[in-house]
Amino acid sequence: MNSTAPFPTPPEEEGPCGDWTYHEWAEAFSTNDLARSLPPGHIAVCRVQTGGRGRFNRKWIGGEGGLWASFTVPLDTPEPSPAVCWGHLPLVAGLALLNMLHGMGVTSARLRWPNDLLADKSKLAGILVERPAENMAVIGIGVNVFNDVASIAGEIKDPPARLADLVQDCPSLHDVMASLGRHLDQVFSTFAHGGIPALQDGLAQAWAGERPVSILTDDETIRGIFTGIDDQGNPVVSLPAGSLRTVPAHLINRLVEE
């Protein structure tokens, strides 16, 4: 199969992955950067990612043995619901990832708003969504699978977890990628027809309970108990006085679990 777009170096391997087409490199600076040149329905994946990033350009270490993949999705779906806001795609990807992990028996998996996937208090995966074109988004997902997380424990804020330690007979990286693609298809389709309200039942369970947090904005630090999100994807916090406060997502620089 020929590559569908020019790249600095050609992919080493290409082929079908369920309803997706994948393009795999041995090493890449960023799969999100590679995916920008691909049409919707494709996956850019690499075995080692040297310049992976999270929100606010935080570093993501992508050693061999992890899944470092970026999925391209269309934003010109026929007759999208008025409830659809493409800015909610990190929640869409997070729910797809969580559904996959729960299906594998990782009952400790949960989301941390807006784009982290934890196993209890350890970070298992992260998500970075970018929009390189009006009609397409790139959903970058990094999952610790077989990679050596012990070597990076002191270099990142959260203690790391990996899938191979949580799942007996852990699937191959390709099988994890294919399963993630199927779950992303399912959740994205539901979202495109109904927005966040259509995913509310799943997202209500995604946080695995209420927990104390600090929410940092440019103007203040809000402390309280995170209770979930509203139908627009904004965090809802129970304040010490007992009242509930909804914090607009676009104002939030960081949410820190206490």
Side-chain angles (χ1 to χ4, degrees):
M1 179 184 298
N2 294 325
S3 187
T4 59
F7 299 104
T9 59
E12 291 191 350
E13 187 176 318
E14 299 178 301
C17 185
D19 291 335
W20 302 77
T21 299
Y22 78 95
H23 311 262
E24 182 174 322
W25 285 260
E27 181 176 301
F29 183 78
S30 163
T31 58
N32 266 26
D33 291 348
L34 291 171
R36 289 170 173 268
S37 298
L38 294 169
H42 288 246
I43 310 168
V45 60
C46 67
R47 294 193 287 278
V48 175
Q49 184 172 237
T50 60
R53 58 190 182 271
R55 295 179 80 224
F56 308 116
N57 284 319
R58 297 188 183 107
K59 184 178 181 182
W60 180 279
I61 299 171
E64 188 166 2
L67 177 64
W68 323 121
S70 297
F71 299 75
T72 58
V73 297
L75 302 187
D76 54 358
T77 55
E79 300 183 6
S81 164
V84 169
C85 170
W86 298 122
H88 294 149
L89 283 177
L91 294 172
V92 173
L95 185 58
L97 187 54
L98 188 65
N99 289 347
M100 181 192 75
L101 291 168
H102 283 172
M104 292 180 175
V106 186
T107 56
S108 62
R110 66 180 178 90
L111 293 185
R112 177 174 62 192
W113 191 95
N115 64 340
D116 289 331
L117 195 296
L118 306 184
D120 292 323
K121 294 185 177 181
S122 299
K123 189 165 181 178
L124 180 59
I127 298 162
L128 179 67
V129 177
E130 297 177 313
R131 189 171 179 176
E134 187 67 24
N135 65 344
M136 188 184 81
V138 172
I139 299 177
I141 299 177
V143 186
N144 296 321
V145 184
F146 299 105
N147 49 311
D148 178 14
V149 295
S151 65
I152 64 173
E155 300 183 50
I156 56 178
K157 177 180 178 295
D158 297 300
R162 66 177 193 167
L163 194 58
D165 296 325
L166 301 171
V167 176
Q168 189 174 10
D169 298 324
C170 185
S172 69
L173 291 178
H174 186 89
D175 286 346
V176 173
M177 179 172 66
S179 179
L180 182 52
R182 289 192 299 271
H183 283 86
L184 189 56
D185 272 339
Q186 294 166 3
V187 178
F188 182 81
S189 177
T190 301
F191 171 74
H193 288 90
I196 285 295
L199 303 178
Q200 199 74 350
D201 288 346
L203 287 170
Q205 306 299 319
W207 320 106
E210 301 177 352
R211 62 194 75 249
V213 298
S214 294
I215 294 179
L216 287 65
T217 73
D218 285 346
D219 300 320
E220 61 180 327
T221 298
I222 304 161
R223 292 183 171 86
I225 304 297
F226 176 86
T227 64
I229 61 173
D230 67 5
D231 61 5
Q232 299 300 309
N234 302 306
V236 179
V237 179
S238 175
L239 301 176
S243 60
L244 292 177
R245 178 173 175 182
T246 299
V247 186
H250 69 277
L251 298 179
I252 298 174
N253 294 329
R254 194 174 180 191
L255 180 147
V256 181
E257 294 183 353
E258 304 296 348

